[in-house]
Amino acid sequence: MRLTRLSLRNYRVYEEQLDLELPAGLVGIYGPNGAGKSCLIESVRFCLWGKSRTGNTDVRTTGVGADCVVEVEFEHEGHLYAVRRMLTGINATPKAAALADGKQVAEGPRDVGRYVQSILGMDDAAFRASVFAEQKQLAAFSVQTPERRRELVLRLLGITPLDKARDEARRDARAAAEQHDQLRGLLPDREALTEDRAAAER
């Protein structure tokens, strides 16, 4: 995944329209405290997953009732994706849409989140613990349980499908063994058959 464009309007400290074209390679963001550096990073997570460190009513610029709009464009595995998330109206009603190579593929906050998860292969928790780390939240990965950390690492490395295949193979083997034992139990005793045959021949 490589971010190519970020657009904000009425998002936290960014009341006016902000459009950023992100070049390939390492990108640094610098500025004084309170300038909105963290907000830029947070906006990516908000756009992709609809998640925020505060409620939706606090995401919009303070005192402004206009729509909050965040758009993220990114490249992933040879395709160009665009996600747009909005908070509209007095109640900050969430709306969202996702496009792949210029065609709309998902609409609605939940469906867009599910679609993003399907193409990136990670949910918000995995994204936050690996790709994205909020300021003062670099310990997000370490505070997870050992089993959860293992799950995140396997998912990030793309090993999860192999892990599932291994577990399924083990389940199939156990089921086959149980079926074998059941069928064997239905067969008559070999020694008893031999004795019956001998008795019949006498």
Side-chain angles (χ1 to χ4, degrees):
M1 174 187 181
R2 185 181 78 81
L3 295 179
T4 57
R5 186 176 65 86
L6 175 62
S7 177
L8 309 174
R9 186 175 76 248
N10 196 27
Y11 178 85
R12 298 199 184 278
V13 300
Y14 296 98
E15 180 178 349
E16 302 298 327
Q17 181 76 28
L18 175 69
D19 292 299
L20 296 176
E21 297 290 336
L22 304 174
L26 184 64
V27 177
I29 302 174
Y30 65 93
N33 290 339
K37 301 184 298 297
S38 296
C39 289
L40 286 176
I41 306 302
E42 291 173 4
S43 69
V44 176
R45 180 189 177 214
F46 171 76
C47 187
L48 296 180
W49 306 106
K51 302 292 185 179
S52 175
R53 57 183 170 83
T54 63
N56 284 345
T57 55
D58 295 323
V59 170
R60 291 193 292 192
T61 305
T62 303
V64 177
D67 293 345
C68 167
V69 183
V70 180
E71 295 183 15
V72 169
E73 186 178 270
F74 61 94
E75 296 175 348
H76 183 65
E77 296 184 346
H79 298 281
L80 182 64
Y81 298 93
V83 178
R84 176 186 176 96
R85 197 172 292 270
M86 303 173 59
L87 298 176
T88 65
I90 298 176
N91 297 322
T93 303
K95 297 181 180 180
L99 289 81
D101 297 325
K103 297 181 180 180
Q104 184 166 315
V105 290
E107 184 176 12
R110 291 186 179 180
D111 286 345
V112 168
R114 293 191 189 101
Y115 180 73
V116 169
Q117 179 171 335
S118 71
I119 60 176
L120 295 183
M122 66 176 75
D123 57 14
D124 172 63
F127 184 77
R128 186 181 179 189
S130 55
V131 179
F132 169 86
E134 299 175 33
Q135 188 176 12
K136 299 180 181 179
Q137 292 295 327
L138 293 177
F141 184 79
S142 63
V143 299
Q144 301 287 344
T145 64
E147 182 61 27
R148 180 58 175 162
R149 286 199 298 268
R150 177 178 179 275
E151 179 184 339
L152 292 174
V153 170
L154 289 176
R155 186 180 304 171
L156 291 171
L157 295 177
I159 301 176
T160 303
L162 297 178
D163 212 36
K164 289 182 178 179
R166 179 202 63 196
D167 293 340
E168 290 176 359
R170 288 177 177 173
R171 284 195 297 269
D172 291 344
R174 285 195 297 268
E178 291 174 0
Q179 186 177 21
H180 173 268
D181 292 340
Q182 291 174 356
L183 292 174
R184 188 173 183 178
L186 297 176
L187 295 174
D189 183 79
R190 182 177 179 181
E191 292 183 0
L193 287 175
T194 301
E195 292 176 357
D196 291 343
R197 180 179 178 182
E201 290 177 349
R202 287 197 297 268

